Amino acid sequence: MVVYRMPEHRFVLTVMAAIGLIALGVCVGGSAERPARGPNQRLHELMIERCEILQSEVKSLELSLQFGSAGLAECRKANVALFKARADLAADITEQIEIYEEMVDLLRTSEQATRQEIDAGRAPQTELRQARLATVEAQIALEQLRMARPQ
């Protein structure tokens, strides 16, 4: 009788081992087909890298501006790009609105500084139009975000 049960026992063990191997193969095969991180994670990492690069660029341009080797327009453009990158990383629309409000404030300050540069004869009049345009575009984007915010 013991001899008779041995094949059954081996059969059960073989089936259990096969199921285990199949399950292991599915797990390993499934993870080999997909990357360890999802596409959203990769996108997020790239967006963070962009933000870090822009932060470095803004710092560098601000130093250059202090020493007179960069202009207000360059700093303004780099700051706008940084604010937009930060807004892209924002968790929700409320945070995006806060970032755009900061950007509008910075652009208004930049616009005033540009006026002072023009009044002092250190910048052409076209700089003021570009500064004003950047401010208006940021205000438009801010208003669009406010309209899109759920009530």
Side-chain angles (χ1 to χ4, degrees), residues 3 6-7 11 13 15 18 23 26 28 55 59 68 70 76 80 86 93 100 103 109-110 121 124 129-131 142-143:
V3 176
M6 283 298 257
F11 177 73
L13 284 177
V15 169
V26 167
V28 171
Q55 284 174 338
K59 286 179 186 178
R76 182 178 58 248
V80 167
R86 286 180 49 211
I93 196 162
Y100 269 84
M103 180 169 50
T109 303
S110 174
R129 286 191 296 271
Q130 291 173 356
L142 176 59
E143 290 306 316

Side-chain angles (χ1 to χ4, degrees), residues 131-143:
R132 182 66 190 142
L133 179 61
T135 304
V136 169
E137 287 176 343
Q139 288 173 318
I140 289 169
L142 176 59
E143 290 306 316

Side-chain angles (χ1 to χ4, degrees), residues 6-7 10 18 46-48 55 59 65-66 70 73-74 77 80 103-104 115 126 135 143 149-150:
M6 283 298 257
R10 284 189 184 155
L46 290 169
M47 291 168 68
I48 289 171
Q55 284 174 338
K59 286 179 186 178
L65 182 64
Q66 289 176 355
E74 286 177 281
K77 287 177 185 176
V80 167
M103 180 169 50
V104 167
R115 277 194 184 103
T126 58
T135 304
E143 290 306 316
R149 178 177 41 190

Side-chain angles (χ1 to χ4, degrees), residues 10-44:
R10 284 189 184 155
F11 177 73
V12 170
L13 284 177
T14 304
V15 169
M16 293 299 289
I19 290 172
L21 288 173
I22 291 170
L24 179 64
V26 167
C27 290
V28 171
S31 65
E33 291 173 6
R34 323 175 231 135
R37 52 191 162 192
N40 291 337
Q41 179 65 29
R42 178 67 179 140
L43 176 62
H44 187 73

Side-chain angles (χ1 to χ4, degrees), residues 45-122:
E45 289 172 0
L46 290 169
M47 291 168 68
I48 289 171
E49 183 179 357
R50 174 182 63 176
C51 201
E52 290 170 351
I53 292 168
L54 287 168
Q55 284 174 338
S56 174
E57 182 68 14
V58 166
K59 286 179 186 178
S60 176
L61 284 171
E62 286 174 352
L63 282 174
S64 296
L65 182 64
Q66 289 176 355
F67 292 110
S69 59
L72 284 172
E74 286 177 281
C75 288
R76 182 178 58 248
K77 287 177 185 176
N79 272 299
V80 167
L82 176 58
F83 278 109
K84 287 179 179 180
R86 286 180 49 211
D88 287 345
L89 283 170
D92 58 18
I93 196 162
T94 303
E95 190 177 342
Q96 287 178 337
I97 289 171
E98 291 172 5
I99 292 168
Y100 269 84
E101 286 171 343
E102 288 178 49
M103 180 169 50
V104 167
D105 290 341
L106 177 99
L107 289 170
R108 285 183 178 148
T109 303
S110 174
E111 197 176 330
Q112 291 171 350
T114 302
R115 277 194 184 103
Q116 292 172 350
E117 291 289 311
I118 290 169
D119 291 344
R122 293 188 293 258

